Amino acid sequence: MDSEDLERAARTIREGGLVVYPTETVYGLGADALDPDAADRVFAVKGRDRSKPISLGVPRFETALEEGYVEANERERRFAEAFLPGPVTLLCRRGDVVPDALTAGRDRVGIRVPDCEPALALLERAERPITATSANLSGEPSARRVEDVARQVRDEAVVLDGGETPGAESTVVDLSRGTIHRRGALASEIDAWLAEN
């Protein structure tokens, strides 16, 4: 992909559309995470149960704090410093700008800072947080290659082809409960951090 592809994808995000993009885990389905209609489109295209929250991606954890997407306590900030960017989703208390459509009305939202150059470039150019959910139909395996993304998802989105991705799901962590909601990449390292912190 080149600069033109990234600019077209970023413009699509800003205009409320969908983008399939590579990460250091699997392909993601991106939309403006602060736009309830765009979030609804993500749920609809994936066939995802609306009671299951969707995370949001930012280029830096500090961006989420500075822009008021989330609040984070000292322990959450230390965790973010240790593991982000990386294949980890950190649940934090959401700010008022984050719509209920994204979080299923819950008071926490997952923050993802991908350790992947094309994904970070898209986030920087879009100038807003992007939904961070896998670009698969709900219940189907996550996609590591563009051709593995269901045709009905690709047909609704601008597609950024970054080749094959590593494939491990991100690990989802809720420090307010001291729990790992989903074990994926770096889970053992996170276990060790939680035991020591």
Side-chain angles (χ1 to χ4, degrees):
M1 80 190 68
D2 58 23
S3 180
E4 199 174 295
D5 294 330
L6 280 167
E7 189 48 52
R8 183 164 66 102
R11 189 169 61 248
T12 297
I13 296 288
R14 291 192 296 270
E15 293 172 352
L18 304 181
V19 173
V20 170
Y21 64 100
T23 75
E24 81 281 33
T25 57
V26 297
Y27 273 85
L29 183 60
D32 183 346
L34 302 185
D35 179 346
D37 293 335
D40 280 341
R41 274 194 281 285
V42 172
F43 279 99
V45 167
K46 283 175 61 79
R48 185 178 176 89
D49 187 324
R50 286 168 196 272
S51 68
K52 295 181 176 178
I54 287 179
S55 299
L56 62 83
V58 287
R60 300 175 305 119
F61 185 69
E62 292 77 13
T63 303
L65 300 174
E66 291 162 4
E67 298 295 331
Y69 307 149
V70 297
E71 298 169 12
N73 60 31
E74 192 267 338
R75 188 175 185 230
E76 288 163 344
R77 290 169 192 248
R78 281 191 290 110
F79 181 91
E81 195 172 312
F83 290 101
L84 300 178
V88 176
T89 301
L90 175 61
L91 292 173
C92 292
R93 181 171 293 280
R94 69 170 171 138
D96 292 338
V97 294
V98 177
D100 283 345
L102 198 71
T103 67
R106 296 180 184 153
D107 65 354
R108 299 181 84 74
V109 65
I111 295 293
R112 181 95 157 76
V113 184
D115 189 13
C116 171
E117 204 50 55
L120 290 172
L122 174 62
L123 284 160
E124 291 281 6
R125 286 177 186 236
E127 299 177 339
R128 61 202 66 200
I130 296 174
T131 56
T133 184
S134 51
N136 56 312
L137 297 176
S138 196
E140 296 292 320
S142 297
R144 294 179 59 193
R145 300 174 305 160
V146 162
E147 51 266 40
D148 297 333
V149 177
R151 171 61 65 186
Q152 64 202 78
V153 175
R154 280 185 280 157
D155 285 350
E156 295 294 327
V158 167
V159 177
L160 291 176
D161 190 343
E164 188 165 343
T165 68
E169 299 281 3
S170 70
T171 293
V172 181
V173 183
D174 183 352
L175 293 182
S176 71
R177 299 182 179 186
T179 57
I180 294 178
H181 284 313
R182 181 180 72 195
R183 297 184 70 81
L186 303 182
S188 297
E189 291 92 328
I190 291 167
D191 281 333
W193 192 93
L194 289 174
E196 293 169 9
N197 294 270

